[in-house]
Amino acid sequence: MDLFSNLSLGLATALSPSALFFCFAGVTLGTLIGVLPGIGAMAAIAMLLPLTYHVPPTEALIMLAGIYYGAQYGGSTASILLRLPGTAQAAVVTLDGYPMTQSGRAGVALFITTIASFVGSMIGVILLAGFAPVLAQVAGAFRAPEYFALMVLGLVAAAMLGQGTPLRGLIMVVAGLLLGTVGTDLQSGTFRFVFGEQMLTDGLGLVAVAMGLFGVSEVIANAARPPSERPDYRVNWRAMLPTRADWRRALPAMGRGSAVGAGFGTLPGTGSSIASFVSYAVEKRISRRPEEFGKGAIEGVTAPESANNAAAQTAFIPTLTLGVPGDAVLALMLGALILHGIIPGPGLIEQQPSLFWGLVVSFVIGNLMLVVLNLPLIGLWVSILRIPYRLLYPAVLIFICIGVYSVRNAVFDVWLVLVFGLVGYGMRLLRFEPAPLILGFILGPLMEQYLRRSMSIARGDPMVFLERPMSASFLAVAAGLALWIIVSGLRRHKGAGR
Amino acid sequence: MSEARLNPRAVAGGLLATALGVFAMWEGSGYAIGSIRRMGPGWFPLALGVLLVALGLALALWGLTRHAARAEPGPESESADWRALAAITAGLAAFAALIERAGLVPAVFALVALASLAAGPPRPLRVLALAAAISALSWAVFRLGLGLPLPAFAFWR
Amino acid sequence: MKKLIALTLAATLGSGAALADDWPSRTVTVTVGFGPGSTPDLMARLIAENLQERLGQPFVVDNRPGAGGNIALDAVAQADPDGYTLGVTIPGPLIVNPMRMELMYDPSTDIRPVTILGTQPSVLMVSTELGVSTLPELIALLQENPGEFNYSSIGVGSISHLAMEMIALESGTEIEHIPYTSSPEAVQAVVNGEVQMAAMPPLAVLPQAEEGNVVMIAQTAAERMPVVADVPTFAEEGLTGVQAEAWMALAATGGTPDAVIERLYAEVRAILDMPEVQERLAGWGMAPVGMPPAEFEARIAEETTRWQAVVDAAGLAR
């Protein structure tokens, strides 16, 4: 197992003209898809799957993977500019990215997220190339109690996201967990909170919930606002380039975010969404200016963005080495392999070295292409904001509706986006923030599943969570974080009381 | 606002959260609760309901204190914009009702026309131009570009 | 309304057969209850592509994932019975789901089965930690320790769940069910020792068995399938009652004219006989079937009886 010869095999594969072409096609399509909130890589890959019949498997996978990580680059664009997150990761980026836009720094935010994405991806690729088998073993050793403890940690981190009292964050997390229980119970097959509606048997759709809570509520709040209240969006390099102070704050955040993301990414299932929430919480926790978070702190944009891109790359580790896909999109890619008669599993790297190493090298090439592709587009995206809002928001609503509809071709989901738009607007008036709710919503079903699975396997003994060292340490960290939230909350109280 | 004695938004929010918690407990207890070893489908919702009631009450009580009034100082007091709310609700509802029955173009026209009322009095010409432009754009992007199953016009069923 | 028009049209054309004779004269939709890239989806696309080539009309695959495939089959059930809406389905929505939940359709009247396209066995695999390599050894171990061991499945009511319950029922033991959400996860749980056994599709088991991470014990097909030719069947090992196949079938709306069904069946039969199609199916761990519609209906009746007993014994009936 010589890394050098493996990489040269990968280079030979990934630099062939056809591989380069498919890589370029993939990342370009991924960028465009990512920018359209709600459409997501899933739709694009599903669309291209039949085409991959006629393409050799390595090239097919290079292209599909390009769409996957390309979409991560574009995914933050709509969240930063218009507060339209199509994924949980993008929901985190709205927290500080959208305030940056509101203060006229949209260009800077987009520029720095592109760099953050690149940094995160590269760190992820290095781990994938150098340590895939080791990391896969660690991930493979995770059992239900560890996953459960990890979710608890993620949820405590989510409660820190808001600006007001942590009580509000906790309420949102629990409300999100509750929304996550809607649908068919995995363990028993019982319908919960379905009320006879067949479309609810698979639960509420994330895209509809997120776009309603964030996007629609934002449109309602801003539709009638006079144009004078909006900043002037200039499109030139000076308005786009981060300042020296920005860099000084953003670069270390990228490093920390990448580390968090790369670690979580190797865990199939939830990796990248927890990663972006946790990395945001980390930044807020260690920052000397925690009060700036939620108002346009640049670390709040770069750390989660690096985290989710690093996770997108390391998510290939369990997918390719264990055959356990990290999420639905990666499962689809495994489907593409099966289509070609390649069976994913633990022997894949040895049996298909040119596929694996070609893919790894194509990630580097693809990410370089993405930077070159994305930087010039920033000007174009920012100039969208120059369109008067009264003309822009009807278009935003249409894009929301079509994006939501396209997830599973269901009108029901358009009604859902309307309901959650109203809920989101109500929450806004009462000063509840949607981001912790979104994480609760995503983790809810998983958390319940891991809790019940742990209990069934341990035959009802709750001590499993403390007997296993990894789960015990995650729970300890979560408890420490919770304590810190309470203490700093009380301290702020005193400050406010004086 | 220094004389504010309580934080009405926290009180209202806390009470709403409590209500949601009570609903979850009530509905959750209708499913099998099971035991700690074999948790039934009702266990988790019930537990969440209890948690939500506790947190909601805590927030509401906290909202009654002076601390709360100061900790979340009177915001740039965002009050509800009922006109925008109604217009956008109507627009989205029209889109949902029309997209499969009538097709993309009629749905876009209805949404744009109704939602535009949120920003001010109706301006038919501008709405028409905007709706035409957005129809063309979304048809090009989603139908032509991405091949989504969204015909421009559908037969009335 | 559409039905009325169709009837009127049929009357003016002389007979219903006239309409059926020129089937297909426009786009045919093939619904699938699972997302793109899933095995049923791959199957639907393979069949649709070949039907399109042979019949000269577009056959469009429509993914309607949800409710274990019920939503997609419901779309077939509610469609006009003219053969322009077909569905590729797994056994669940046709046989098992109606026993477990209230459905919008009645498979016995609203659906007209065409044929089974392909089938795959489930392979019972166990963790290497158990130290058993044959079915009798395993059953002896289970009977000594009832309720002690766990098995993973890909969800309540899935073949992977019911097949294990069938094994427990037939061998008179108890095994604890731990549901997961997908076959990779369920297999991984056996590999890392979270559970001790599972009955999974060959494609999910083979790579792990090749690495020596799990031991294959028996397959649930009636006769050994080529993809796992060296694994004995349950009947060979002495458990005759265990038979569970995860097939994929083509179905049309209830009341679709015979002429359409016959035409469709003939074409599908010919497609399944094509060497390149068989090769493709083999790559997915499946074997082509293609029995005539009447035989398929009898098969559904037979499986319904078989699964009803398991569903009742496992306390899963609604």
Side-chain angles (χ1 to χ4, degrees), chain A residues 109-122:
Chain A
L110 291 177
F111 187 95
I112 205 93
T113 50
T114 304
I115 304 299
S117 300
F118 182 75
V119 171
S121 299
M122 284 302 106

Side-chain angles (χ1 to χ4, degrees), chain A residues 148-493:
Chain A
F148 176 75
L150 205 61
M151 314 259 134
V152 173
L153 177 61
L155 291 177
V156 173
M160 276 179 70
L161 256 42
Q163 295 181 49
T165 156
L167 264 181
R168 291 176 179 280
L170 281 173
I171 288 179
M172 283 296 102
V173 166
V174 178
L177 289 172
L178 199 56
L179 284 180
T181 64
V182 174
T184 310
D185 171 40
L186 177 74
Q187 252 82 0
S188 65
T190 311
F191 292 157
R192 296 188 297 194
F193 303 100
V194 165
F195 311 112
E197 172 56 61
Q198 181 162 269
M199 294 308 286
L200 279 178
T201 55
D202 283 316
L204 304 164
L206 167 70
V207 175
V209 174
M211 301 274 252
L213 291 181
F214 285 91
V216 173
S217 71
E218 186 68 24
V219 169
I220 298 176
N222 286 334
R225 216 163 256 180
S228 57
E229 285 181 25
R230 303 181 82 227
D232 177 26
Y233 297 105
R234 264 160 304 173
V235 183
N236 59 39
W237 277 101
R238 275 209 23 222
M240 226 162 79
L241 284 178
T243 63
R244 190 179 288 248
D246 287 337
W247 283 113
R248 210 175 300 132
R249 293 173 63 175
L251 280 175
M254 288 180 198
R256 289 186 294 263
S258 306
V260 170
F264 280 93
T266 55
L267 301 173
T270 46
S272 61
S273 36
I274 301 191
S276 47
F277 279 80
V278 168
S279 72
Y280 186 90
V282 166
E283 292 307 314
K284 194 170 172 182
R285 168 74 186 81
I286 66 170
S287 172
R288 264 172 281 149
R289 294 166 285 232
E291 70 284 353
E292 284 178 23
F293 280 75
K295 293 175 187 131
I298 201 156
E299 303 95 315
V301 180
T302 47
E305 186 70 12
S306 287
N308 94 53
N309 282 277
Q313 302 295 351
T314 52
F316 281 93
I317 293 174
T319 309
L320 293 176
T321 58
L322 301 177
V324 182
D327 61 22
V329 183
L330 290 166
L332 198 53
M333 274 184 242
L334 288 188
L337 281 182
I338 294 173
L339 197 78
H340 283 280
I342 296 175
I343 302 165
L348 184 84
I349 299 183
E350 280 144 56
Q351 287 158 14
Q352 305 278 345
S354 73
L355 179 115
F356 179 79
W357 293 103
L359 200 57
V360 168
V361 174
S362 86
F363 290 166
V364 178
I365 299 171
N367 276 291
L368 285 169
M369 288 176 177
L370 279 166
V371 171
V372 175
L373 202 65
N374 273 274
L375 290 181
L377 281 175
I378 295 175
L380 178 70
W381 303 137
V382 176
S383 56
I384 288 177
L385 295 175
R386 296 171 66 89
I387 301 171
Y389 199 67
R390 59 172 197 283
L391 301 181
L392 188 58
Y393 80 79
V396 167
L397 288 174
I398 296 287
F399 274 61
I400 291 176
C401 286
I402 297 179
V404 164
Y405 176 81
S406 72
V407 174
R408 52 174 185 165
N409 297 335
V411 179
F412 182 82
D413 288 350
V414 180
W415 290 106
L416 213 56
V417 94
L418 168 56
V419 169
F420 278 94
L422 297 178
V423 170
Y425 189 60
M427 276 166 44
R428 186 190 177 98
L429 294 178
L430 293 171
R431 302 185 123 210
F432 284 113
E433 294 184 44
L437 186 146
I438 292 292
L439 191 69
F441 174 68
I442 293 179
L443 295 191
L446 294 161
M447 191 174 172
E448 177 182 15
Q449 194 183 311
Y450 289 124
L451 173 65
R452 288 165 72 177
R453 195 179 291 159
S454 304
M455 285 294 100
S456 308
I457 292 174
R459 305 293 189 256
D461 177 11
M463 288 306 286
V464 279
F465 296 114
L466 302 178
E467 281 161 2
R468 299 175 61 87
M470 267 203 289
S471 86
S473 40
F474 288 139
L475 288 176
V477 175
L481 199 58
L483 205 67
W484 176 80
I485 294 176
I486 296 167
V487 170
S488 69
L490 288 178
R491 206 180 288 152
R492 200 170 39 196
H493 253 191

